[in-house]
Amino acid sequence: MLFIILVSIAVFSVILLAYRRDHYALLIFGMGASLILLLVGIIIYTAKTGGMSEAQKVFLYFSSGIQKRLSYLIFPLSRLGYLIAIGRYLFPLFLLLVALNYSMIPLVRRCRKWWALICFFPIVSLLLYYPRVFYTIVRNRFVLQRFLMTAMVLWIVLYLLAAGVLLLHEYASVTIAYYRRQFRTIVILIASMMLLYLMFGLQDPIQVYQLYTTEYMWFNGMSYANPDIPLWMWQGMSVLIAFSLVLGFWNLREYSQITVRENDRAVSLERKFDTASMGVSVFVHSIKNQLLAARVAYKKLEQELAKPEQDEKKLEEYLHLLETMNDTMLQRMEELYRSVKSSYISLTPTSAEEIVRLAAQRFAQKYPEVSLEVLPVPQVLLLADSTHLTEALYNLLTNGYEATVASGRPDRKVALAVHDERLWVVFEVRDNGCGMTRQEQKKIYDPFYTNKNTNFNWGMGLYYVCQIVKSHLGALRVESVKNEGTSFFMQLPRYTPRVDTALQRRQSK
């Protein structure tokens, strides 16, 4: 069973690193690699020493034949002990680095330059357990050995506890269900790897270096080959760990796909917009049709005015038609101008409350009869171009309301909420409209794509929103269920003004 777990960790770690290719994946790969080194060393060691119960043989080797083959491997105890030591002391280091990188606690983020200090204990431990150093300084000095074993367990437990606290605090601090579900996969994966590490990682490799002494057994009372654990406990722990690892890696792959899809989407959108001559032609053709229709309406209006007796009803109809066409063309030209001008962004400190107020005000001007639900807005700042960001948020609100109209529901609901997610400000627009399928969600950001009436919409709205959010160094997420509703999340970096301590001292004097 342990072979399957080791192979799963190796395969999933490599796939995750090749698929995601960022420092998070590299750290998780380091966790997996160090855990594999630890367990491989223990498997070979226990195969050579023997004296195991049938439960351990089933758990470690599947059969006695595999154990015998491993026992014949030429692997000196000194190298075997150091292999176990490398896995034992690097796993807590990578685990704590993963937790620190995921943590959004301001104090932790401000002390990034001091993170290198956590490498001190693992490096010292690896130096002391290097075979030449160990046999020169530590061997046969049992008081020093007992001190080392206690010190090693102490810092390992502290690292594990610190990482666990940071990850649990991060998970508890996430208020948006969408992000909480994503981070849960990481917690499950890390918890399963920690459980597997705790089964063997607290044992000291001194027992490998000094195979023929009893001092270690006298001090600790346990060894890697502990025959007292019953078969059902091995089987239960194996199934639990294997299930957690597979579930964690699988969900983390899904979580990683979000980032990959966003990067691919950004590249794809740029290519589509750069090569959108067909879409521009459609736009020009549509404007041309509007102008031709306006010319026809103008001629009819001219003919009606030339009559001795004009039909006021027809005159009003033609005037209204001309006005509608003119407004439509102006609106579409304005949208095209905004999409072209979106590359010019001026970021200044702006309150989230101000963005919400301006967007809600614009929405009320277009739909005065609609009651927009605006949840309480936290007092947070962000660097934003208020004009563009307001327009982007207003666009999402308009799309949300139009989706509720298209659904035909009598209880149309559009809500706007702002979440203070530590380093991020997240604007959420949710509706109870018709929702979208996965296939539709893949197309909604494409320039010139729309599933609405093309006389009034030409598919640049969400592309514009996506570009604005990207220019604010943020991310745009969507969560939608067909026939239930949609939620858009604009995740933008939070702005915290720097405090000039020198100025404060002068003012205090």
Side-chain angles (χ1 to χ4, degrees):
M1 188 67 183
L2 189 57
F3 276 124
I4 298 177
I5 294 175
L6 287 177
V7 172
S8 301
I9 293 175
V11 172
F12 286 131
S13 297
V14 172
I15 292 176
L16 182 63
L17 181 61
Y19 186 78
R20 186 160 174 170
R21 290 174 294 182
D22 60 6
H23 67 286
Y24 292 102
L26 183 62
L27 291 175
I28 293 177
F29 176 82
M31 286 177 57
S34 57
L35 193 58
I36 290 172
L37 292 178
L38 170 68
L39 297 178
V40 166
I42 292 173
I43 288 174
I44 298 174
Y45 169 72
T46 52
K48 287 180 173 295
T49 56
M52 293 173 292
S53 65
E54 288 300 320
Q56 286 176 310
K57 291 180 181 179
V58 171
F59 178 71
L60 295 174
Y61 314 109
F62 287 112
S63 67
S64 301
I66 297 177
Q67 177 199 355
K68 290 181 180 179
R69 292 182 182 179
L70 291 175
S71 65
Y72 294 144
L73 290 176
I74 301 176
F75 214 122
L77 290 178
S78 59
R79 295 182 182 178
L80 196 58
Y82 198 62
L83 179 67
I84 297 174
I86 291 173
R88 187 195 191 206
Y89 300 129
L90 289 186
F91 180 85
L93 173 63
F94 282 114
L95 173 63
L96 187 54
L97 286 173
V98 168
L100 288 171
N101 276 273
Y102 276 112
S103 177
M104 298 296 175
I105 300 175
L107 179 61
V108 173
R109 308 302 294 185
R110 286 197 298 268
C111 296
R112 288 180 69 95
K113 61 182 179 180
W114 301 105
W115 288 4
L117 293 177
I118 66 173
C119 299
F120 174 77
F121 291 108
I123 291 175
V124 171
S125 301
L126 290 174
L127 289 175
L128 289 174
Y129 280 75
Y130 187 72
R132 290 186 180 180
V133 177
F134 179 85
Y135 287 119
T136 303
I137 300 177
V138 182
R139 190 180 184 183
N140 297 326
R141 292 180 173 85
F142 298 127
V143 175
L144 178 60
Q145 288 179 15
R146 282 154 51 185
F147 172 78
L148 276 181
M149 287 187 288
T150 304
M152 297 301 112
V153 171
L154 181 60
W155 78 254
I156 287 173
V157 171
L158 288 176
Y159 275 42
L160 296 179
L161 286 175
V165 169
L166 288 174
L167 290 171
L168 290 176
H169 179 271
E170 180 67 17
Y171 177 74
S173 300
V174 179
T175 60
I176 304 176
Y178 178 71
Y179 295 101
R180 182 182 283 259
R181 286 197 302 271
Q182 294 176 358
F183 192 67
R184 188 183 301 152
T185 63
I186 299 172
V187 175
I188 292 174
L189 172 63
I190 294 176
S192 59
M193 297 178 75
M194 286 179 64
L195 180 60
L196 185 58
Y197 177 82
L198 288 172
M199 291 176 62
F200 301 100
L202 296 182
Q203 295 297 307
D204 202 291
I206 284 179
Q207 62 181 294
V208 182
Y209 286 113
Q210 301 186 161
L211 176 62
Y212 302 106
T213 64
T214 58
E215 181 66 20
Y216 176 85
M217 296 297 296
W218 172 84
F219 174 76
N220 213 25
M222 291 184 65
S223 67
Y224 293 126
N226 184 10
D228 297 330
I229 301 179
L231 177 61
W232 65 267
M233 186 175 294
W234 284 112
Q235 292 174 336
M237 287 189 296
S238 303
V239 172
L240 175 62
I241 292 171
F243 176 78
S244 300
L245 284 171
V246 173
L247 179 64
F249 270 112
W250 177 261
N251 289 334
L252 187 59
R253 184 191 69 86
E254 293 293 319
Y255 172 74
S256 301
Q257 277 187 337
I258 296 173
T259 304
V260 174
R261 282 197 297 263
E262 285 182 351
N263 294 334
D264 293 342
R265 184 184 72 193
V267 174
S268 176
L269 289 180
E270 289 179 4
R271 290 175 180 171
K272 287 179 180 179
F273 190 74
D274 292 338
T275 60
S277 57
M278 179 65 71
V280 174
S281 300
V282 170
F283 168 74
V284 173
H285 180 70
S286 176
I287 292 294
K288 180 180 177 181
N289 288 339
Q290 293 283 340
L291 291 172
L292 291 174
R295 180 185 292 180
V296 172
Y298 172 76
K299 286 184 177 180
K300 288 184 178 181
L301 179 61
E302 190 178 44
Q303 291 172 1
E304 190 65 33
L305 289 172
K307 293 179 181 179
E309 295 182 2
Q310 294 90 8
D311 188 342
E312 292 185 3
K313 200 169 186 181
K314 283 189 176 182
L315 290 174
E316 292 178 359
E317 180 182 342
Y318 295 146
L319 285 172
H320 179 69
L321 183 60
L322 283 172
E323 182 182 9
T324 303
M325 291 178 180
N326 184 67
D327 290 343
T328 301
M329 286 187 288
L330 285 174
Q331 181 181 359
R332 299 182 73 171
M333 291 299 295
E334 184 181 352
E335 290 178 358
L336 179 61
Y337 172 73
R338 286 200 307 266
S339 64
V340 173
K341 186 176 177 289
S342 62
S343 59
Y344 301 98
I345 298 294
S346 177
L347 301 179
T348 56
T350 309
S351 67
E353 187 177 13
E354 178 69 9
I355 300 297
V356 169
R357 184 186 66 80
L358 293 174
Q361 184 179 354
R362 283 213 59 188
F363 181 80
Q365 291 175 353
K366 185 171 183 179
Y367 300 110
E369 73 284 356
V370 179
S371 176
L372 175 64
E373 182 184 0
V374 180
L375 301 180
V377 181
Q379 299 295 322
V380 290
L381 294 175
L382 64 155
L383 288 176
D385 186 310
S386 59
T387 302
H388 283 293
L389 192 58
T390 298
E391 185 67 26
L393 188 57
Y394 160 74
N395 201 309
L396 293 179
L397 292 171
T398 303
N399 286 350
Y401 174 70
E402 291 175 354
T404 62
V405 174
S407 68
R409 287 193 176 92
D411 56 331
R412 301 169 182 171
K413 295 180 180 178
V414 180
L416 173 56
V418 180
H419 305 274
D420 182 10
E421 290 291 325
R422 288 137 307 145
L423 297 182
W424 302 94
V425 179
V426 182
F427 295 86
E428 178 187 2
V429 177
R430 59 176 178 263
D431 62 71
N432 63 341
C434 48
M436 294 178 288
T437 63
R438 285 186 174 268
Q439 294 300 322
E440 290 174 329
Q441 293 179 38
K442 293 178 181 178
K443 299 179 181 179
I444 56 176
Y445 303 107
D446 291 359
F448 307 109
Y449 169 80
T450 180
N451 56 3
K452 303 174 185 177
N453 187 339
T454 55
N455 287 329
F456 299 97
N457 297 276
W458 58 297
M460 288 297 290
L462 284 177
Y463 174 80
Y464 167 74
V465 174
C466 190
Q467 293 301 102
I468 291 303
V469 173
K470 181 181 176 182
S471 65
H472 282 72
L473 307 178
L476 183 62
R477 319 266 197 230
V478 61
E479 187 176 36
S480 184
V481 179
K482 190 66 176 178
N483 299 322
E484 291 188 16
T486 302
S487 292
F488 278 94
F489 301 91
M490 287 200 316
Q491 179 181 323
L492 305 172
R494 179 177 177 175
Y495 173 72
T496 302
R498 288 188 176 182
V499 178
D500 191 340
T501 54
L503 179 60
Q504 282 188 337
R505 292 194 194 99
R506 288 196 297 267
Q507 290 177 348
S508 62
K509 292 179 181 180

